[in-house]
Amino acid sequence: MTTMKLAVRPLPRAMLIDMDDTILSAYGRPEIAWNTIANEFAEELAPLPPAQVATAVLAFARNFWANAEAAWRMKLAEARHLTVKGGFAALAAAGHRALPDDLAIRLADRFTAYREEEMFVFPGAHEAIDRFKALGIRLALVTNGAADMQRAKVERFELAHRFHHIQIEGEHGFGKPEERAYLHAMQALGVTAEETWMIGDNLEWEVVTPQRLGIYSIWMDVHDEGLPEGSTVKPDRIIRSLGELLPDPA
């Protein structure tokens, strides 16, 4: 898959930048994470193969998050308990061994801890953000999720001083794709939609709604997987790293 190449566009007055899987490697490739954790619990899952358990949990989780209310983003650990139990229930309904709820909770909690352990800043992301700021671009970090969890990431990965405005869903009481999430961030930066770029990995949150507001919308495709088959969403640009947005050195 090839990154979309477009004519060079002048840098904007402001950028709204997502955090998870845009600046940080956080929740991408869940199939790898679930298989890793299922293998850690292989003895307790036997005779079920870890890969089968991981597949069932991932299928339930994807369906859950596709339909979940926004409030569940504030209760991520609890949501994971529910999705692992749901995967276990699906296996039992298919005639496999009934796995206990306490195992589901331990597996889910280990998954949460594993995600925290494995999180890192994408190479070059700090440097790109610092360069944007040095070029005079107004910067807002706009992230969904619970206040304590997301604020901890902001501090852990040294993001606070890099942005003029930090907007966390759990701290403000609203988040993407609510229009006021983008409008509030632009107001905080003192810019209009026409002066703003939105950058992130979620097609609905970082492309569909921002485009409706007149914001130039850039989709982060870190793993170069391309748009989902059948997608009707058309990002204004597709990138694999924030550094691609930097102007070429003179």
Side-chain angles (χ1 to χ4, degrees):
M1 193 64 60
T2 303
T3 301
M4 183 184 292
K5 297 291 185 182
L6 296 178
V8 175
R9 185 183 180 96
L11 288 170
R13 279 196 64 206
M15 292 181 181
L16 313 182
I17 306 178
D18 172 53
M19 180 167 66
D20 295 323
D21 298 304
T22 298
I23 298 171
L24 310 179
S25 177
Y27 304 124
R29 299 287 176 89
E31 65 282 355
I32 296 174
W34 280 119
N35 273 285
T36 298
I37 299 309
N39 275 296
E40 289 185 9
F41 286 78
E43 289 187 13
E44 292 186 78
L45 297 172
L48 281 167
Q52 186 173 8
V53 175
T55 298
V57 169
L58 181 59
F60 190 94
R62 281 180 166 152
N63 183 66
F64 173 83
W65 286 114
N67 300 285
E69 296 179 358
W72 280 108
R73 295 197 293 264
M74 305 298 111
K75 302 180 290 183
L76 194 54
E78 186 179 338
R80 286 182 177 146
H81 291 170
L82 188 155
T83 56
V84 177
K85 289 178 182 178
F88 282 10
L91 288 166
H96 297 289
R97 175 193 167 201
L99 296 165
D101 282 353
D102 77 289
L103 176 57
I105 291 171
R106 287 188 289 114
L107 194 150
D109 288 346
R110 173 61 189 131
F111 181 86
T112 295
Y114 175 82
R115 283 303 213 184
E116 291 293 322
E117 292 164 8
E118 295 296 308
M119 209 169 284
F120 63 90
V121 177
F122 285 127
H126 275 165
E127 293 80 2
I129 294 165
D130 291 345
R131 182 65 179 141
F132 296 146
K133 193 173 185 181
L135 288 169
I137 297 170
R138 302 286 293 168
L139 300 174
L141 181 71
V142 183
T143 182
N144 282 356
D148 54 352
M149 180 178 68
Q150 297 301 82
R151 180 58 66 174
K153 291 180 198 172
V154 168
E155 300 304 324
R156 174 184 171 188
F157 295 108
E158 302 180 338
L159 297 176
H161 73 278
R162 293 186 150 90
F163 289 86
H164 301 97
H165 175 64
I166 302 284
Q167 188 170 304
I168 297 171
E169 181 181 22
E171 292 180 352
H172 285 75
F174 52 83
K176 301 170 291 188
E178 294 177 73
E179 290 189 357
R180 61 177 169 162
Y182 316 90
L183 297 173
H184 185 272
M186 289 188 292
Q187 182 181 33
L189 297 180
V191 295
T192 65
E194 292 74 20
E195 298 171 315
T196 303
W197 290 2
M198 177 79 228
I199 305 149
D201 69 300
N202 186 296
L203 287 170
E204 181 183 2
W205 299 353
E206 275 89 47
V207 179
V208 175
T209 305
Q211 282 182 337
R212 189 166 65 242
L213 295 171
I215 298 169
Y216 185 79
S217 301
I218 300 169
W219 183 52
M220 177 70 76
D221 181 19
V222 170
H223 302 295
D224 202 18
E225 295 174 337
L227 292 167
E229 186 175 352
S231 174
T232 59
V233 181
K234 295 182 179 180
D236 293 302
R237 184 172 176 184
I238 298 175
I239 60 173
R240 293 191 64 191
S241 70
L242 291 173
E244 291 178 40
L245 301 176
L246 290 169
D248 291 331

